[in-house]
Amino acid sequence: YVLLYKVRFLFFGERTMRVRTAKKKKFKAVWRRINYMMKEGIYMISNQVLQNTLDGLRSITRTDLCITDTEGKVLASTFSETVCTEDEVLAFAQSQADSQVIKGYQYFKVHDDHQLEYILVINSAGEDVYTLGKLVVFQIQSLLTAYKERFNKDNFIKNLLLDNLLLVDIHNRAKKLHIEVDQRRVVFILETNQDKDYGSLENVKNVLGGKNGDFVTAVDEKSIIIVKELSESDSYPQVDKIANTILTTLGVEKDSNTHIAYGTIVKELKEVSRSYKEARMALDVGKIFFGEKEVIAYSSLGIGRLIYQLPIPLCKMFIREIFDSKSPDDFDEETLTTINKFFENSLNVSETSRQLYIHRNTLVYRLDKLQKSTGLDLRVFEDAITFKIALMVVKYMKYMETLDY
């Protein structure tokens, strides 16, 4: 290594080697900062937000402003020309001064938790430039704090939903982020055929009224997750109304791909992940057995919840035992319509024949024919239950076959 360094020194020269060493140290420092931010779930403010902030301050103070990163790269500016070079910014960033005048411009350092984040540059020709600069620095620092808290909350909620936190971490982080622990909440999952983007998340937040206790996030590309804070008087009818309001207000296209599901109401923050899992199951089960429904409650899944958890080999064995070599798919459309309508009317022969516009004897004939082919008499409660479960199992197996593993 020593010999290699000497060869590089002779070939590149002393100054080049010093510059490369400095850059290497700087790269390591930046990388450590990135790792820290990723671990803590901290995200930097976008350049667009910085530009909007400077434009607003410019209209109020009538003073041009410029913000660069610690390397001298301009992130946002209201100046029409270049006012600082990378070398000037680097020299100021590495100095001990918090403020300094360089070539007619006042430079300020913007820190976040004692970490240098930005350099602010202001035209020093005006009056009270120093006071104005300090006010702008304070504004940007407040913006950093707000964004950090916002994204820290988002990161916390995601980890909470996915069960990635210990109980002690939930309480400690919730306290730091000013999130109530003992508060009634319910989790919604919204899935549409529209592409999910940042704008759609913001739209959902607007629908909820921007309450501090509500959280809107996403853990995948397909759905939007809403953690809704509830009052003591809110019950499931109110939750169902909220779900319908979200769909109506967002104006999402209503089709078989649009669903919103919700879990049970929980009383503590640590139980939010359970409500999320229930909402996720409600969404999946609902798409299998209640495809026509847009709002699906976990509490209304019924026996579909049990079937959804059955292994496929067991389902196939059950169908073979009930129908032998025949499958419900083999029934003609008329027979399937008769069966479904008979179940809808709670096995009432008279009401079913009336809704199908057929004579009662015709319906009895169809049921007798079905009994001969399957050995199940749908007029008998136990046989009807067996047949209903079999139909649901077939639906479940068909759905699982369509999934990509």
Side-chain angles (χ1 to χ4, degrees):
Y1 288 108
V2 175
L3 180 60
L4 182 60
Y5 184 84
K6 287 181 178 179
V7 170
R8 286 180 176 176
F9 180 82
L10 292 171
F11 185 78
F12 293 110
E14 181 181 1
R15 184 178 180 280
T16 305
M17 292 301 295
R18 282 204 305 269
V19 170
R20 288 193 172 191
T21 303
K23 285 185 176 180
K24 189 174 181 180
K25 288 181 179 179
K26 194 180 298 178
F27 174 80
K28 287 183 177 179
V30 171
W31 187 247
R32 282 196 299 270
R33 176 65 174 163
I34 291 172
N35 284 333
Y36 167 76
M37 292 168 65
M38 289 174 65
K39 181 180 178 182
E40 295 297 320
I42 302 171
Y43 300 85
M44 295 298 292
I45 302 174
S46 69
N47 291 354
Q48 186 60 52
V49 173
L50 288 173
Q51 186 63 55
N52 292 341
T53 303
L54 292 195
D55 290 339
L57 291 170
R58 168 71 177 81
S59 64
I60 296 171
T61 63
R62 301 189 181 281
T63 302
D64 284 309
L65 310 160
C66 175
I67 293 179
T68 75
D69 61 15
T70 56
E71 304 293 316
K73 180 184 177 183
V74 176
L75 304 177
S77 177
T78 63
F79 287 97
S80 57
E81 72 283 343
T82 303
V83 296
C84 58
T85 65
E86 291 186 3
D87 289 339
E88 290 168 351
V89 173
L90 281 170
F92 172 65
Q94 293 170 4
S95 69
Q96 298 298 318
D98 282 333
S99 174
Q100 185 178 348
V101 177
I102 302 174
K103 294 183 179 179
Y105 294 97
Q106 187 88 31
Y107 285 60
F108 296 88
K109 290 179 180 176
V110 182
H111 292 88
D112 178 37
D113 286 340
H114 308 291
Q115 175 74 33
L116 181 61
E117 296 290 350
Y118 302 117
I119 302 297
L120 171 68
V121 183
I122 303 180
N123 193 334
S124 62
E127 298 179 0
D128 299 325
V129 173
Y130 182 81
T131 303
L132 175 61
K134 284 295 184 182
L135 286 172
V136 174
V137 167
F138 178 76
Q139 175 69 20
I140 296 171
Q141 286 175 333
S142 299
L143 201 61
L144 278 168
T145 302
Y147 262 71
K148 187 167 64 174
E149 181 173 329
R150 173 183 173 183
F151 285 112
N152 269 346
K153 281 185 178 180
D154 186 70
N155 182 266
F156 170 68
I157 292 298
K158 284 180 180 178
N159 284 311
L160 181 67
L161 293 171
L162 297 174
D163 260 344
N164 290 338
L165 296 171
L166 297 173
L167 182 59
V168 64
D169 292 332
I170 292 174
H171 285 271
N172 290 340
R173 293 188 65 179
K175 186 177 181 181
K176 289 180 181 178
L177 296 171
H178 309 291
I179 299 175
E180 288 290 334
V181 175
D182 298 320
Q183 175 66 48
R184 298 174 80 243
R185 294 180 175 90
V186 67
V187 177
F188 297 88
I189 300 180
L190 172 64
E191 186 176 275
T192 72
N193 60 345
Q194 301 174 2
D195 293 334
K196 177 181 66 62
D197 54 18
Y198 179 77
S200 58
L201 292 176
E202 290 300 312
N203 289 337
V204 174
K205 290 177 183 177
N206 292 334
V207 171
L208 298 174
K211 288 180 61 178
N212 289 333
D214 298 335
F215 303 99
V216 181
T217 186
V219 296
D220 56 41
E221 297 178 355
K222 296 180 180 180
S223 51
I224 296 173
I225 301 164
I226 305 156
V227 182
K228 183 79 177 75
E229 187 176 282
L230 302 174
S231 65
E232 290 298 326
S233 60
D234 287 335
S235 57
Y236 287 105
Q238 283 78 26
V239 173
D240 202 76
K241 186 177 179 181
I242 292 169
N244 281 287
T245 301
I246 291 171
L247 288 178
T248 304
T249 310
L250 288 178
V252 295
E253 185 180 341
K254 294 185 177 182
D255 55 30
S256 59
N257 296 319
T258 301
H259 304 280
I260 184 168
Y262 59 88
T264 55
I265 298 172
V266 297
K267 297 181 179 180
E268 296 182 48
L269 190 62
K270 66 181 181 181
E271 297 176 332
V272 165
S273 62
R274 174 166 60 83
S275 185
Y276 166 70
K277 291 172 185 174
E278 292 169 348
R280 177 62 67 187
M281 179 181 283
L283 192 65
D284 291 338
V285 174
K287 285 189 287 189
I288 300 172
F289 304 118
F290 316 105
E292 71 285 352
K293 283 188 176 182
E294 292 176 351
V295 178
I296 309 159
Y298 176 78
S299 57
S300 67
L301 296 180
I303 198 170
R305 197 170 77 205
L306 298 176
I307 294 173
Y308 179 73
Q309 300 179 73
L310 292 175
I312 294 298
L314 186 62
C315 293
K316 290 180 178 179
M317 185 188 304
F318 175 73
I319 295 300
R320 280 197 304 269
E321 290 174 357
I322 299 299
F323 298 106
D324 195 17
S325 58
K326 196 175 179 66
S327 169
D329 295 341
D330 298 333
F331 295 130
D332 57 63
E333 190 64 32
E334 182 184 78
T335 303
L336 288 173
T337 302
T338 302
I339 293 168
N340 290 327
K341 188 61 68 175
F342 192 54
F343 284 141
E344 284 177 19
N345 289 289
S346 304
L347 313 184
N348 188 309
V349 175
S350 299
E351 184 61 25
T352 302
S353 59
R354 188 185 69 81
Q355 291 188 18
L356 289 174
Y357 303 103
I358 61 176
H359 194 276
R360 177 189 172 92
N361 291 342
T362 304
L363 177 59
V364 170
Y365 169 75
R366 291 180 184 178
L367 293 175
D368 288 341
K369 183 181 176 182
L370 186 64
Q371 182 182 1
K372 287 180 181 178
S373 64
T374 63
L376 296 172
D377 185 356
L378 299 192
R379 290 160 292 191
V380 177
F381 181 74
E382 287 185 5
D383 286 356
I385 286 292
T386 302
F387 200 96
K388 178 66 174 176
I389 292 173
L391 289 177
M392 294 179 72
V393 168
V394 170
K395 268 190 177 182
Y396 167 61
M397 289 194 300
K398 275 187 174 182
Y399 174 79
M400 296 304 290
E401 287 173 1
T402 63
L403 296 181
D404 295 326
Y405 289 99

